[in-house]
Amino acid sequence: MSNATYKSPLYIQLREVIRNKIEDGEYPVGTAIPSESQLAETYNLNPLSVRSALSALKYEGLLRSVQGKGVFVNGSKTERDLETFGGYRQTMDERSIDAHTRVLIKALRPAGPYYSKLLDLAEDDQVWFTRRIDYSNNEPVALEEIYIPEKILPSYGDVDIELFSIYDIFTWNGLRPTDADQTLRVLFLEPSRAKLINLTSEQAVMELSNLTRDEKGQNIEFARNYVRPDKIEFFTHYAKE
């Protein structure tokens, strides 16, 4: 709870206004807040006061600045066992590898007959479809295609998934991924897809498919990862009980 009053310095008052908007959901987790100039104009403050307020919230970890994109609301940090659950970026960060993603498509579409069965939906229910490329040291290593039911994650369209992990977005929205069915096979991509990750249609890829469930047992995501075998290898560990 804020202790700021009208007698507090202006930057502290603005800091608490922004904090309250974050806590009230007016500035949702994973989205950009208004720019410094917009805040200065809205609250009739000088740029230095605005900058000081934002700096204080960044120091607390509530905000995150991304060069060229703006200032974003951070979610609470979560811990995951990389041997059981972990996204591409978390795995690369653990290995100190420079990694990022580029989103090609993020849009709503009907589930249709195939994905409605996978995700326990009606055929005309809407799903978020995402296609993005994973990069390691600025070289494409995998193509991802992701399907998430809109009804369980309606705010997904507002979050920049080039900056934030989808698993973190689940957590911020009260969803806890707990288990998944995985399938691994080798196949050849059609030329248009292969080209996206600098391959030809004659070069094989590894397709890793994941159907993820939350702690209630509902299917919350289906994802396919087309991985370059010359860039990524998979590791698993078995232990005798």
Side-chain angles (χ1 to χ4, degrees):
M1 183 67 67
S2 167
N3 292 320
T5 70
Y6 72 93
K7 294 182 180 179
S8 301
L10 294 177
Y11 86 91
I12 291 180
Q13 294 183 47
L14 178 61
R15 181 195 68 188
E16 297 310 312
V17 166
I18 296 172
R19 186 198 308 279
N20 289 336
K21 288 181 180 291
I22 292 172
E23 293 174 349
D24 293 342
E26 186 174 339
Y27 295 159
V29 171
T31 62
I33 69 169
S35 66
E36 287 187 12
S37 59
Q38 289 173 322
L39 289 169
E41 182 178 353
T42 299
Y43 296 102
N44 194 26
L45 296 174
N46 64 61
L48 181 59
S49 294
V50 174
R51 203 165 298 125
S52 296
L54 297 183
S55 294
L57 293 170
K58 291 175 192 175
Y59 182 78
E60 293 180 31
L62 285 177
L63 296 178
R64 171 186 175 187
S65 183
V66 180
Q67 187 172 1
K69 292 199 171 187
V71 178
F72 291 77
V73 180
N74 255 337
S76 57
K77 297 187 180 296
T78 59
E79 294 182 356
R80 281 201 304 275
D81 180 352
L82 290 176
E83 289 190 357
T84 55
F85 268 103
Y88 170 74
R89 186 175 298 141
Q90 289 76 21
T91 303
M92 296 297 104
D93 287 346
E94 184 74 8
R95 289 157 175 75
S96 299
I97 296 173
D98 180 23
H100 67 278
T101 62
R102 179 165 67 92
V103 176
L104 305 177
I105 301 172
K106 186 171 77 166
L108 285 170
R109 51 153 286 181
Y114 183 75
Y115 297 106
S116 63
K117 290 181 180 178
L118 274 177
L119 296 167
D120 298 326
L121 303 171
E123 291 189 15
D124 58 352
D125 282 350
Q126 295 289 296
V127 296
W128 291 107
F129 170 62
T130 301
R131 178 178 289 155
R132 65 183 183 179
I133 302 174
D134 297 330
Y135 290 85
S136 174
N137 296 324
N138 291 318
E139 185 169 7
V141 296
L143 176 67
E144 290 187 273
E145 294 180 346
I146 303 164
Y147 300 82
I148 299 172
E150 181 196 21
K151 66 182 181 182
I152 70 166
L153 206 58
S155 63
Y156 179 76
D158 297 326
V159 181
D160 190 335
I161 58 171
E162 291 185 359
L163 302 177
F164 297 96
S165 159
I166 290 176
Y167 282 90
D168 284 338
I169 299 169
F170 281 144
T171 302
W172 298 338
N173 286 272
L175 298 166
R176 184 184 174 193
T178 55
D179 68 282
D181 296 327
Q182 294 188 333
T183 303
L184 179 63
R185 63 176 181 159
V186 177
L187 50 74
F188 297 91
L189 293 174
E190 64 269 23
S192 60
R193 279 178 172 171
K195 186 178 180 181
L196 292 172
I197 51 176
N198 290 353
L199 294 180
T200 69
S201 56
E202 289 78 31
Q203 294 173 287
V205 298
M206 295 184 292
E207 181 199 69
L208 181 66
S209 298
N210 294 277
L211 180 61
T212 303
R213 290 176 288 273
D214 68 2
E215 57 190 347
K216 298 177 182 177
Q218 68 175 339
N219 296 330
I220 60 174
E221 178 196 45
F222 177 72
R224 290 192 189 95
N225 298 297
Y226 300 106
V227 180
R228 288 179 54 172
D230 61 327
K231 298 297 180 184
I232 292 180
E233 65 180 16
F234 293 100
F235 170 82
T236 187
H237 173 73
Y238 294 95
K240 185 176 180 180
E241 294 185 358

